[in-house]
Amino acid sequence: MTPVSDVQASTYRRRVPFLRNLIGMPEGPILVLFLAVQAACIVAALLWPEQFRYLSEPNIRVLLKSVAPLGIMALGVGLLMVCGEFDLSVGALYTFCAVVTATLAAQVPGLAEGVGMPAFAALLVGVAVGVLAGLVNGFVSLRFSIPSFIVTLGAMLVWKGMTLLYHGATSKSFRPEPEFKAVFGTPVWLIDTSFLWFIGLGLLCYVMLHHHKIGNHFFAAGGNASAATAIGIDPVRVKMIGFAIAGGFAALAGIIAMTRVGSVQPGGGLGLELKAIAACVIGGAALTGGRGSVIGFMLGTALVFTIQDVLLLIQAPGFYLDIFVGGLIVLSVIANQMLRPKA
């Protein structure tokens, strides 16, 4: 007969590796935290359904609709962070590319007043502008060995000014064809089509980063560029791809957000770059590169919006979100440092 102590020890040995593996995964800590926050919110909503309407249909619909633009931007930013680079211009590109798309769809020079490109064609131009801007950021940073943080900080100011130069300080309305609206901004019961784009792009990025050789190249380039070069990987090419994805995803996020609300504000995207980076860091991305997961980026974005939603429901001051996110970033970086394998 097996002693009770031996049974307990055997159970402990089975459980502890699982917990260690879970916490050791890039998305492990954020998954545990996200589930804990969701459980607390659900319990509070069941206990006080009138005061805390977290489970109400309108609240769920708004939450799922709002998370998509920042989530899509965070996916691009996260992939670039895995490469060991940053892009602080994505918030300004978010706005500029949306303004370009809305302007082209409204009117094209040389055509009759009010006649413009089809919205789908204008979207392709807007996303292409974002991709090109990302490539320029990458070229300047990598060609002249300037930290991407500095290059994209300058690019952020450039695109902010370009938005005002191109359109001015007034909002720009966007009234696309019904087919375009159906693809990018139509509610389907509780889920908006923009949220489906977020999930779809998340799956695409997951396959690319975790189940394709380009993902291995991303991790190698961000973890140790010299070692990556030694095994035949070109870190410059890999990082250029990362910059292009970040710019393109920022542009698409801005266009999707504009489609949902029907207009774009000149300063609407400013500050989103910091939230996107925060979501990725909270989701397990290392500031030094070479570590991160797509699931973590998505959960980090969802957690930020969950906390924002809770603060709105309890009518707390908006700066509470900044306090929470700022503290969580610091704790996440500390966790990343503690979990990093020792040399």
Side-chain angles (χ1 to χ4, degrees), residues 76-223:
V77 169
L79 292 178
L80 184 59
M81 289 180 68
V82 170
C83 294
E85 303 292 341
F86 293 92
D87 191 343
L88 296 180
S89 69
V90 289
L93 278 176
Y94 171 100
T95 302
F96 179 74
C97 296
V99 169
V100 168
T101 300
T103 303
L104 292 176
Q107 182 178 355
V108 178
L111 298 180
E113 183 71 23
V115 177
M117 266 186 193
F120 286 104
L123 176 140
L124 293 178
V125 174
V127 172
V129 170
V131 171
L132 182 60
L135 290 173
V136 171
N137 289 338
F139 174 79
V140 173
S141 175
L142 300 172
R143 175 65 178 81
F144 299 100
S145 300
I146 305 173
S148 57
F149 184 92
I150 301 299
V151 172
T152 57
L153 177 62
M156 176 182 70
L157 299 176
V158 168
W159 293 116
K160 177 183 176 181
M162 285 295 295
T163 301
L164 298 175
L165 177 65
Y166 183 75
H167 176 66
T170 60
S171 63
K172 178 67 178 177
S173 62
F174 183 56
R175 299 290 183 268
E177 302 91 335
E179 297 81 6
F180 189 93
K181 183 78 172 178
V183 171
F184 293 102
T186 297
V188 181
W189 189 49
L190 292 179
I191 301 176
D192 193 85
T193 50
S194 62
F195 184 77
L196 298 179
W197 276 93
F198 172 45
I199 298 299
L201 290 173
L203 291 173
L204 176 63
C205 291
Y206 179 82
V207 172
M208 182 175 69
L209 186 63
H210 301 291
H211 295 281
H212 193 276
K213 67 178 182 180
I214 187 63
N216 295 330
H217 294 181
F218 274 41
F219 284 111

